[in-house]
Amino acid sequence: MAGETTGLRESKKQETRQLISDEATRLFLEQGFEQTTIADIAAAARVAKKTVTNYFARKEDLALDHHEEFVAGLAGAVAAREPGESALGALRRAFLAALGERDPVAGFSGAAFSRMIAESPTLTARLRDLHDQRERALAETLAAVTGADAGTITPRAVAAQLGAAHRVLFQRIQELTLAGHDNAHIADLVGPEAAEVFDLLEPALGDYAVAPTRCDPPPAPRCSGS
């Protein structure tokens, strides 16, 4: 019974959070991010202002509500790379998958939403900060998977290059969205461009942070991928 009560409570919290997020997005698109207040959002969602801030510590987080997934995305792709796959290879594969899915986290947020961000100095600055956080998270994971000593510059340098590539591709998707292209056309355009971007990094980073391979059992052990 206690577990059932807890489940209902959590479900109610998720419903409230989603309602607040949905109403905030609607108001941001109608009025503009800078012009919309927390009080406006609370009134639209029929909750107290404190309830809004309990679920979303920053007003920007109401607009960029995938921020946690965004920050963790590159590090997560590297941590989950396949045996014999490099960090670059894992990130290339993950980006192309996101492109195929028209993933909002990769930049497919629609013209109205992209315009809202572009027209808001606050959101533009917050998005830059999220890109920086994502790069730092990637550097920490690269250091962990390569066993680098604390403070070693190599993981940070690699993360800076990989993070910059993803930043450019994200901005490219936003740019094409604002130019009026639909998602299918954007994916068709960005796919070859992404391949070129990752190919440019291949000579320098193609062998960096390669995941260990699994070996076949005896009597003739050999590593898969060899």
Side-chain angles (χ1 to χ4, degrees):
M1 193 69 175
E4 185 176 329
T5 302
T6 301
L8 288 171
R9 189 182 301 119
E10 288 303 314
S11 178
K12 180 61 177 176
K13 286 182 179 180
Q14 287 301 317
E15 289 176 6
T16 302
R17 188 184 193 281
Q18 190 61 53
L19 173 63
I20 293 169
S21 176
D22 290 345
E23 290 297 331
T25 299
R26 180 181 64 80
L27 290 173
F28 292 153
L29 294 176
E30 289 177 358
Q31 302 175 180
F33 177 82
E34 308 293 347
Q35 292 73 30
T36 302
T37 67
I38 295 296
D40 292 336
I41 296 165
R46 297 184 179 181
V47 298
K49 285 173 60 177
K50 185 172 179 55
T51 301
V52 175
T53 55
N54 281 342
Y55 282 97
F56 298 92
R58 305 171 60 152
K59 181 181 165 186
E60 300 94 297
D61 293 341
L62 280 157
L64 303 170
D65 58 348
H66 293 291
H67 64 280
E68 293 178 349
E69 183 181 351
F70 181 88
V71 168
L74 303 187
V78 168
R81 67 201 190 287
E82 297 175 352
E85 187 174 45
S86 67
L88 175 61
L91 290 173
R92 179 198 292 261
R93 179 168 53 83
F95 180 82
L96 294 178
L99 199 65
E101 295 167 2
R102 318 295 194 256
D103 190 345
V105 178
F108 288 95
S109 51
F113 197 88
S114 297
R115 191 174 301 109
M116 177 190 74
I117 294 175
E119 292 175 352
S120 167
T122 303
L123 288 178
T124 300
R126 176 58 171 161
L127 189 55
R128 283 197 300 268
D129 178 56
L130 292 174
H131 278 290
D132 291 343
Q133 288 184 44
R134 182 165 73 162
E135 182 182 310
R136 288 194 293 272
L138 176 59
E140 291 173 3
T141 295
L142 289 172
V145 301
T146 59
D149 293 334
T152 301
I153 198 169
T154 302
R156 290 159 53 194
V158 174
Q161 295 175 68
L162 295 172
H166 281 79
R167 191 181 304 227
V168 166
L169 292 170
F170 182 95
Q171 291 169 343
R172 178 62 168 155
I173 292 171
Q174 294 279 287
E175 169 192 313
L176 291 169
T177 299
L178 290 171
H181 299 282
D182 62 38
N183 285 349
H185 190 211
I186 292 170
D188 288 342
L189 292 172
V190 174
E193 293 176 342
E196 182 177 353
V197 169
F198 290 120
D199 285 347
L200 288 170
L201 296 173
E202 190 70 37
L205 302 179
D207 294 328
Y208 183 79
V210 175
T213 57
R214 301 183 184 90
C215 289
D216 294 331
R222 67 180 180 83
C223 290
S224 60
S226 61

